[in-house]
Amino acid sequence: MKKINLKGKFELFDDYWHPRIIGELNGQLVKIAKFKGTFEMHKHDHEDELFQVIKGQIQIKFEDQTETLDEGEMIVVPKGVLHQPSAAEEAWVLMFEPASTVNTGENENSDLTKEDLEWV
């Protein structure tokens, strides 16, 4: 058991939309990523996904609404729900999701798909 300094972990990388793993519990991975710009619309057929904003602000567009999340706010996106994260400026985001979750959901052949994620 070791404490994790989130600020220090986020300072280890500069790219966007590339999740890194910082922890694991009960089959769930704790991931962090920097968001900037717009990600693709996608869904996860079998996994719920939690987004918590550590720094900045993000928007998550759904089919019928858009939610804005500020620092300290989070949202759980249920499995099967189409969603599209975006951030006008750089945002730091923490995510909880099952280890089987692919960042682009059913769009596994996307240029944005990241597999074999590294630990930081």
Side-chain angles (χ1 to χ4, degrees):
M1 293 186 304
K2 290 174 26 177
K3 66 181 178 179
I4 296 170
N5 181 298
L6 289 176
K7 182 176 185 256
K9 295 293 186 183
F10 277 105
E11 290 174 346
L12 294 174
F13 57 93
D14 293 318
D15 54 346
Y16 301 114
W17 308 113
H18 184 162
R20 269 73 173 192
I21 302 167
I22 61 169
E24 183 175 9
L25 67 156
N26 301 319
Q28 299 277 318
L29 294 180
V30 182
K31 301 176 184 177
I32 58 173
K34 291 181 180 179
F35 289 12
K36 187 173 181 184
T38 302
F39 200 69
E40 62 188 41
M41 182 70 81
H42 67 285
K43 65 179 178 168
H44 305 276
D45 290 327
H46 306 288
E47 302 103 352
D48 299 331
E49 197 173 23
L50 179 147
F51 295 92
Q52 180 177 357
V53 178
I54 304 301
K55 179 180 174 184
Q57 181 185 76
I58 69 169
Q59 293 74 41
I60 301 184
K61 180 180 177 182
F62 300 100
E63 290 182 286
D64 59 349
Q65 68 184 49
T66 299
E67 288 289 339
T68 297
L69 302 175
D70 293 311
E71 289 181 20
E73 294 184 324
M74 59 168 271
I75 193 167
V76 175
V77 178
K79 63 184 169 191
V81 174
L82 279 169
H83 59 287
Q84 182 179 40
S86 65
E89 301 295 326
E90 181 176 281
W92 295 2
V93 180
L94 181 134
M95 296 159 287
F96 282 94
E97 49 197 25
S100 62
T101 303
V102 175
N103 66 323
T104 52
E106 79 285 356
N107 304 337
E108 291 185 34
N109 295 323
S110 168
D111 291 339
L112 296 172
T113 300
K114 303 293 183 197
E115 297 182 284
D116 301 320
L117 302 179
E118 67 261 27
W119 282 76
V120 294

